[in-house]
């Protein structure tokens, strides 16, 4: 039984009988509630840790799909820009292979091919690189050509950690065939 001082009795009387009837919390019950919170936190930690590995692989897969779809879209866009502008359009890969630029080469054409006007730059997702033996170039008729203006086929490889996951051939008509 807890004996209350005169001040505590006065405070309880001012707040009403409901407050006066409250019991002092049991430290054992508070300990059990704390233990329940700790168990829930431990379960959340285990669940999060088990999902982390899958999350990393999911993100890498998403990066691969993004890089492939961007490349396919940008090649189609290059062809469209070339016919629309009546000039040739180039895709130039940077030294590291982590980005590429698409630009227009107006007549008189540069030799070697060079951009007179930059249309856009595409930076690839982390750990993704691109490689091609030659500069991809569409002429004003919408054909993929070599530096001499002859219709040509070009090979493109998109890699993750230097391992190719998408190897494709770009045909003169702009059709992209390949897989990975």
């Amino acid at each position: 039984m807890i004996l209350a001082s005169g001040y505590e009795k006065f405070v309880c009387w001012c707040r009403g009988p409901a407050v006066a009837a409250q019991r002092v919390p049991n430290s054992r019950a508070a300990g059990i509630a704390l233990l329940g919170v700790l168990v829930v936190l431990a379960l959340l930690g285990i669940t999060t840790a088990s999902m982390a590995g899958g999350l990393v692989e999911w993100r890498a897969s998403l990066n691969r799909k993004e890089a492939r779809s961007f490349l396919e879209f940008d090649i189609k866009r290059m062809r469209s820009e070339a016919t629309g502008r009546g000039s040739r359009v180039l895709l130039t890969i940077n030294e590291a292979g982590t980005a590429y630029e698409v630009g227009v080469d107006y007549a008189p054409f540069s030799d070697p091919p060079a951009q007179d006007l930059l249309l856009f730059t595409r930076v690839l997702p982390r750990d993704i690189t691109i490689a091609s033996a030659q500069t991809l170039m569409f002429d004003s008729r919408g054909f993929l050509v070599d530096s001499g203006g002859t219709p040509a086929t070009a090979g493109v490889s998109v890699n993750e950690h230097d391992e190719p996951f998408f190897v494709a051939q770009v045909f003169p008509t702009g059709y992209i065939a390949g897989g990975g």
Side-chain angles (χ1 to χ4, degrees), residues 4-154:
S5 68
Y7 175 75
E8 290 172 341
K9 286 182 186 177
F10 175 74
V11 170
C12 289
W13 177 79
C14 292
R15 291 186 182 169
V19 174
Q22 288 180 348
R23 296 178 59 189
V24 176
N26 186 351
S27 62
R28 186 175 195 178
I32 291 173
L34 179 61
L35 182 62
V37 169
L38 290 175
V39 167
V40 168
L41 288 175
L43 289 174
L44 284 173
I46 291 169
T47 304
T48 303
S50 66
M51 291 174 46
L55 186 63
V56 169
E57 182 56 37
W58 173 76
R59 182 66 185 150
S61 172
L62 189 64
N63 284 346
R64 289 189 297 270
K65 288 178 186 174
E66 180 180 314
R68 179 181 175 164
S69 65
F70 277 146
L71 178 64
E72 290 173 344
F73 175 78
D74 290 342
I75 289 173
K76 291 174 185 173
R77 181 177 172 191
M78 283 176 60
R79 186 169 188 261
S80 175
E81 290 282 349
T83 56
R85 291 176 182 269
S87 193
R88 64 185 188 184
V89 175
L90 316 169
L91 183 141
T92 309
I93 301 169
N94 71 357
E95 289 291 323
T98 57
Y100 56 86
E101 295 179 338
V102 173
V104 181
D105 184 15
Y106 291 111
F109 299 128
S110 308
D111 190 28
Q115 302 170 359
D116 295 328
L117 172 69
L118 176 65
L119 296 176
F120 64 91
T121 301
R122 176 77 65 199
V123 177
L124 298 171
R126 196 176 98 185
D127 300 326
I128 304 289
T129 58
I130 185 172
S132 180
Q134 70 267 20
T135 298
L136 297 180
M137 182 170 38
F138 282 94
D139 67 6
S140 61
R141 300 169 299 158
F143 289 108
L144 184 69
V145 295
D146 59 17
S147 59
T150 306
T153 300

